[in-house]
Amino acid sequence: MAPPRRPPLAHALARHLGLVLVSVLLAVSVIGYCALYLATQARLPGMFELTSSLNNTMPLALAALAQTMVVLTRGLDLSIGGIIDLSNALAALYLGTTAASMALASALILLAGAVLGLVNGALVAYGRLQPILVTLATLAIFQGLAIRVLPQPGGAVPEAYTALLVNTGAPYALVYVLALMLFWTVLRRSQVGIALLAIGDDEAAAAANGIDPVATKLVAYTLSGLIAAAAGLFLAAQATAGDATTGNGYTLTSIVAVVLGGVSLFGGRGSGIGAILGAFVTTMIVNILFFAHIDPLYQSFYEGAFLVIAVVLAEGLGRLVRRRRARA
Amino acid sequence: MNDADERHAASLEAISVSKSFGGVRALHEASLRAFPGEVHALVGENGAGKSTLIKLLGGRLRADSGVIRHHGAAVALKTPDAAHRLGCWTVFQELTLLSAMSVAENLLLRREPRGAFGLTSERRLRQTAEAVFARFGIHDIDPGALVEDLPLADRQVIEIVRALSHDPDILLLDEPTSALMERETAWLFGEVRRLRDAGRTVVFTSHRWHEIAAIADRITVFRGGRDVGSFTTLGEDEAVTLMTGQRVETLYPPRPAAPASEAALTVADLAGGRLASASFSLHRGEILGVGGLAGHGHRELFLMLFGAMPRKAGRILRAGHEIRPRSPRQAIRAGIALVPEDRKTEGLLLPLSVRDNLTLAVLGRESRLGVLRRRRLRSVAAAMTTRLKVRMPDITSPVAALSGGNQQKILLGRWLLADCAVLLFYDVTRGVDVATKHEIYELMTALARDGRAILYYSSDAEELAHLAHRVLVLREGRIAAELPASGLNAEHIVAAAMRDQAAA
Amino acid sequence: MSGGGKRRRVLPGLSPTGRRVLYAYAATVLLFLLGGLVRPGFIQATNVLTILTVAMFVGLVAAGQSFVILIGGIDLSVPWVLNAAAILLTTSSGGENARAAAALALTLGMGALVGVANGIGVAVLGVPAVVMTLAMNGIMEGLTLGLSGGMTCSACASYAPPLVQGLAHGSLLGVPAPLWLWLAVIGLVSFLLQATVFGRATYAIGTNLRASELAGLRVRATVIALYGLSGVTAALAGIMLVGFGGQASLGMGEPYLFQSIAAVVIGGASILGGRGHYLGAVAGAICLVTLISVLLAMNMAEYGRSIIYGVIILVLLLLYGREARES
């Protein structure tokens, strides 16, 4: 009897269905955007549009990747917005003007983000508390700290810093996006990444295989805090000043991006690349709404409706693929 | 050989180990001594402590007291890794595969073949996994498939291969055969014998006596959290007496009298999922057995009859009237009840009280305008616990505090309260100990005598042969054979289930 | 942990949930005493009644949040349902008593409709509750902003009908009318959860959805109804809030998401479902609002309040968590 084997492509499609769907979604939304742009501006979007889209999306892409780390372990990090706030506020005050001071301050801010993430992780892993509640509480704490650091919007971000992170002249941000995707790819193929997915899939089973759930969760939340802090830095560079409330919206939009990116909120399934692409889909939708001359007041309505439709369609498609596989 | 020598020779020993969970004693000063070159069977009822002991030896749990020795040296098995380092690998009763990952990723978890920068790749994983499977003669499992897409038997095989592939010095198998069919069990026993002949130690548990008799060199019996004896030869009757502390006269109660001719349930060309087509009638007072290999449409048949899965085609007649159950609620209205395989996840609400669990299906009946008649709920629940002789602290205690057998009674009681005339029993005795099995059989035959119609799927052909009036054997989604009770035995059922496969 | 087998049991004879409810009430009393120390007059009847009235707004939203948390769900759409309700009431009534009844019905109906839509998304379409209600919050935000033209519409400046304002400010037997309303809600919710088939089904579904379905319970209908109720209570809170303040404003619902969830959790409910009681959430709401009042009385800055808020919730979570593991 010949062993039943499916072609590797069929397996890949089944495993990365979420990634495939978000790629299609991104392609469709980019095409839609270009078509609308062409219709209204009588030309195709160029380098400037590409650059600004990339730059605008970087903070969300980072926040989405941060959220992915936690969601993969079957958690939810509501404190991401708070960490972005704090990192943003610190950046506006302490970056300094020399290259050395900027590098040092950035490193320390990233470290602070990692430590805050570690606190979340410790509460979840050692305290065995529900992630959503822990991070709801730490969100309040981090937001409070951010306002303490920077009571009024202000401070300053040096031009050189902005030029480095948010260069408006050319789509350099593409490098950052690719670097993030590379980071995910490496992580996914490393022991740590496998452990992350494993404990989100089935914590007891992972533990029986010798994977340490406590250590893995600590790593997940620490990475989340670190990446969220990076989002705060990008946001500061973009605004060229600080605002201790600027990150608040990112908690929820990061969840939107993650869900669009095909990462399961039930843990164990999904890809950081999907989440990053999900962030870009979100940006594209805002762009489309803008060029479709939709009243910006209605923006959240369309985003919300789109989210539900996308999730329902993805769910339906997933079920269809699953049924076909089961029958075959 | 004197005692000191023997202790020295033992490869793995548990000496007076105890383990409690929240005040409940799972193991109490239990001991086990396993030697190189032997297959050591652990037998005992559910809750006797076998699985807890295996978890202690596998590094999943830590003992409250007692010593574990490996080749004479005391060891602390704090983690599964600690056990692995001693060459001790375990297949736990609850499978530990990660369902969203591929077979290859699971098989090679934490020892992925790594290339440049210590990174792994799917292709590399697949190839290595393929080679590992081939080494153990497994060719029909696709390493690239996701575990969640595989039937239970395949998952069990993967788990076993994973343990075998570490070339274990000591292999612990906790009920490895409960999900396996004849052919896979034969494969497993071949591997077990190979290990034994190479001087390794294999410890395993099973509820199937013929397996134990076939392969065990030594049998240790557990009862109530401790070992009550170790034997090189032991008869089944003696073993049951030791396990239960009492003599179970006959496991199987007499078959109830021939059923009435009146059909309680008639099924015509039912199809959906893996069930291609099934037609049969179930009569009042009949126990109609359903047998065959797992994954051939049994689950779909039961779920569709209960309205828990959409039908693709076919008609269902309940006492002559066509019904179209689109939800369990509608099926229950029509007097059909399902007792699922996994009472803990699909049947009972463990933290809720005995009363709440019993009355769950009759809340509508026992209420007025949506307001519960609480006194009445309490009294009907109390009456049912008396009728079924449920042993429990109190009617308000959580069902989780009851023993497995009593939990099963609560679930049955729920459907008796709902007055369901057709009972669908889906593999309710799988992994259940002898004494509880006996109680379930008694209940089932009593219900049939009472005039209820019972459709009964079991993965244990022996049971079907003893209890059922007729047995339908499902193969590839169709009824491959209908076997009458006269002269029925387990071999017939198994043969009918496998016939085509043997020919292929 | 330490101490081996000897476990000190606080208040034996009470379920863990019951004990947590008591803790929350005890914490409230302590906070009042602390407030009295910080500022004399804090424990005067008028101040206590004011605090309770403010707590009612949280408590109403927490009623709905309790319903959905009991089945392991969550309602993130609360802020903009509340806000939309407040604006819908003022704009549709135009501040006239004659149109008050119709406006109230319309507003509560809107809340129910939005909630039911959430429930259908969760129970029928299979969208995770976090995603569904998050999206719904956006949908309601967009609709509210868009339809009101960002609160620039001519009717947007309307006040709540005097009748509704009277309800929010009036009093009966020396007790503010909102508290009577709250008492009625407490009675109704407790009755629903404890004495009806619906309530029993709610706990069953929260404990094990699949088993509840296989036991013949109306799982989908119950889930949809629970989300519908959450929409209604959020709308009711919006009505009371606009009656209290007179006019609606944008963003007035924002604080109530965090506070409603916190109240339910402080009250001892399990976020995983199946365990909890509305009386706990009531205690949680009062406790939370008292805490804020004490901090305000201490002239604590906003950032300090936010931090202490978070810390207190963490401490309670750790306390409850420890207890759960011991039992």
Side-chain angles (χ1 to χ4, degrees), chain B residues 235-268:
Chain B
E236 179 169 11
D237 291 345
E238 285 170 86
V240 169
T241 310
L242 277 170
M243 284 192 286
T244 58
Q246 67 205 9
R247 187 160 274 280
V248 175
E249 288 305 329
T250 43
L251 182 56
Y252 299 103
R255 218 185 301 262
S261 59
E262 200 183 325
L265 192 72
T266 306
V267 175

Side-chain angles (χ1 to χ4, degrees), chain A residues 200-291:
Chain A
D201 193 333
D202 183 341
E203 191 170 325
N209 286 303
I211 292 170
D212 183 351
V214 170
T216 308
K217 282 183 193 169
L218 290 180
V219 170
Y221 284 85
T222 305
L223 278 175
S224 173
L226 176 87
I227 301 170
L233 293 182
F234 273 89
L235 215 49
Q238 198 173 37
T240 67
D243 179 350
T245 60
T246 184
N248 292 354
Y250 282 92
T251 291
L252 297 185
T253 40
S254 69
I255 298 175
V256 172
V258 158
V259 169
L260 287 178
V263 180
S264 165
L265 290 180
F266 302 108
R269 292 153 209 261
S271 133
I273 295 176
I276 295 168
L277 297 182
F280 280 98
V281 172
T282 315
T283 305
M284 276 302 131
I285 289 162
V286 174
N287 286 348
I288 288 173
L289 291 178
F290 178 78
F291 282 105

Side-chain angles (χ1 to χ4, degrees), chain A residues 3-6 8 11 15-16 186 188-189 191 194 197-198 201-202 205 207-211 268-269 322 325, chain B residues 60 80 96 98-102 105 109-110 112 114 120 122 126 130 139 141-145 148-149 162:
Chain A
R5 294 288 184 273
R6 271 170 210 278
H11 286 311
R15 302 193 48 152
H16 305 296
V186 170
R188 174 66 185 82
R189 291 168 173 219
Q191 295 273 5
I194 291 171
L197 285 154
D201 193 333
D202 183 341
N209 286 303
I211 292 170
R269 292 153 209 261
R322 192 149 291 277
R325 282 169 67 81
Chain B
R60 283 286 293 278
T96 62
L98 301 163
S99 51
M101 291 194 178
S102 71
E105 279 177 299
L109 191 64
R110 299 185 71 229
E112 297 84 3
R114 296 189 175 278
T120 182
E122 285 180 30
R126 245 194 336 268
E130 194 88 58
H139 298 289
I141 296 178
D142 185 345
E148 63 191 354
D149 291 338
R162 184 163 67 184

Side-chain angles (χ1 to χ4, degrees), chain B residues 15-36:
Chain B
I15 302 163
S16 294
V17 291
S18 301
K19 178 74 189 173
S20 298
F21 299 100
V24 180
R25 249 177 9 199
L27 274 181
H28 182 58
E29 299 191 347
S31 297
L32 174 76
R33 193 182 294 168
F35 298 92

Side-chain angles (χ1 to χ4, degrees), chain C residues 41-192:
Chain C
F42 192 86
I43 29 183
Q44 273 173 8
T46 46
N47 193 48
V48 172
L49 287 177
T50 308
I51 287 177
L52 288 178
T53 307
V54 176
M56 178 213 61
F57 301 123
V58 180
L60 285 182
V61 181
Q65 202 67 263
S66 290
F67 281 130
V68 297
I69 285 180
L70 273 177
I71 51 166
I74 198 154
D75 190 349
L76 304 180
S77 70
V78 159
W80 280 97
V81 173
L82 189 158
N83 210 332
I87 294 172
L88 185 59
L89 182 81
T90 53
T91 51
S92 66
S93 69
E96 291 170 28
N97 269 346
R99 284 151 67 187
L104 281 174
L106 181 72
T107 307
L108 291 174
M110 181 277 296
L113 199 70
V114 175
V116 164
N118 276 332
I120 291 175
V122 171
V124 180
L125 300 178
V127 182
V130 169
V131 177
M132 185 63 217
T133 56
L134 177 64
M136 186 57 81
N137 194 48
I139 289 172
M140 292 311 292
E141 179 183 357
L143 280 180
T144 309
L145 287 174
L147 292 175
S148 70
M151 279 307 266
T152 57
C153 64
S154 54
C156 290
S158 304
Y159 284 80
L163 212 68
V164 178
Q165 293 197 39
L167 179 67
H169 287 287
S171 74
L172 185 69
L173 304 172
V175 175
L179 292 185
W180 288 112
L181 176 80
W182 197 11
L183 267 179
V185 169
I186 292 171
L188 197 67
V189 171
S190 300
F191 174 77
L192 256 184

Side-chain angles (χ1 to χ4, degrees), chain B residues 148-162:
Chain B
E148 63 191 354
D149 291 338
L150 297 180
L152 193 58
D154 283 358
R155 297 187 205 189
Q156 182 77 60
V157 169
I158 297 165
E159 193 104 22
I160 293 168
V161 169
R162 184 163 67 184

